[in-house]
Amino acid sequence: NRNTRIQAQIAATGASGSRVNRREYVERLDGLVFGDNPREGFFQENAFYHPDLRFQLAFPRSFKTQNQKQAVVGVSEAQDAIIALTLAAGASPEAAARQFFTQQGVQAGRSGRDTIGGLPAHTAFFEALAEQGTLRGQVSFVSYDGKIYRILGYTPAARFSTYEGAFETSIRSFRPLTDPRYLQVQPRRVALVDR
């Protein structure tokens, strides 16, 4: 049954079933990127570097970090706090902050213009209603190289004082990446060798 199904699927694709020219195929492999592409961002210990977008951000050492397509995220060991970096919509940090606070259940606390890593920013504290209770956090919107970055840290309201310093330190670590060691990093590529 499996063979019949596979043959039917092959027939449906219109593939001729002819063999691929091995030499042409192998030549196409030369220079192919393999593994994670560090040009799209990479971690070194607790620091995140993004050579193509030319920024860096440090996470608390105890946080488990991950570089996802839409966000760079760090989660506390107890899994009760999150720090996330994403791109935000808006023409300015203030406009992005206003848009953030239009979300249902999100209430603004102390907020205002700021400077982070020498860049124009807007920082605010907030509370948000969630299924599991009230969350409390800090968010900053930073303007850099024509983009607005949102750096957000939050935890259950009762735990905010435990993580407030970590959120502040991480958010304030955002800055332009200038170190050539990180700016020039290149992905690993397949290299063909004649036998």
Side-chain angles (χ1 to χ4, degrees):
N1 286 343
R2 186 180 304 155
N3 187 35
T4 304
R5 227 179 19 254
I6 291 170
Q7 293 302 323
Q9 288 174 340
I10 291 171
T13 66
S16 66
S18 62
R19 291 186 150 198
V20 173
N21 181 320
R22 183 182 188 282
R23 183 180 163 143
E24 275 183 35
Y25 177 76
V26 170
E27 284 176 358
R28 288 178 182 240
L29 297 176
D30 193 29
L32 183 73
V33 172
F34 71 93
D36 293 332
N37 184 348
R39 302 297 308 166
E40 295 174 356
F42 65 96
F43 283 95
Q44 192 166 72
E45 295 181 11
N46 67 315
F48 179 76
Y49 302 97
H50 200 302
D52 283 353
L53 296 178
R54 303 175 68 89
F55 72 80
Q56 65 186 64
L57 177 74
F59 285 83
R61 289 195 185 279
S62 61
F63 277 44
K64 183 177 179 183
T65 56
Q66 188 175 22
N67 181 17
Q68 303 168 346
K69 275 288 184 203
Q70 300 300 319
V72 181
V73 180
V75 179
S76 65
E77 279 183 296
Q79 298 186 354
D80 61 349
I82 293 176
I83 298 173
L85 168 73
T86 60
L87 287 172
S92 68
E94 292 76 18
R98 280 193 300 276
Q99 188 169 341
F100 177 80
F101 286 111
T102 63
Q103 296 177 88
Q104 187 173 352
V106 179
Q107 207 170 17
R110 184 175 81 245
S111 71
R113 286 187 180 171
D114 201 351
T115 301
I116 294 176
L119 303 166
H122 188 95
T123 296
F125 294 85
F126 67 91
E127 283 195 354
L129 299 175
E131 287 180 22
Q132 63 272 32
T134 302
L135 301 174
R136 185 174 290 163
Q138 180 177 346
V139 62
S140 289
F141 299 89
V142 184
S143 178
Y144 175 52
D145 201 25
K147 296 174 179 58
I148 305 294
Y149 292 89
R150 181 184 80 181
I151 312 160
L152 171 74
Y154 65 90
T155 187
R159 306 281 299 146
F160 184 73
S161 61
T162 303
Y163 290 106
E164 184 176 8
F167 293 160
E168 178 80 8
T169 300
S170 189
I171 288 169
R172 297 222 166 268
S173 73
F174 183 92
R175 65 191 68 261
L177 177 59
T178 58
D179 189 328
R181 291 177 301 163
Y182 302 118
L183 287 171
Q184 296 169 5
V185 69
Q186 294 298 318
R188 293 179 292 179
R189 295 183 182 273
V190 172
L192 295 183
V193 178
D194 288 333
R195 291 196 249 173

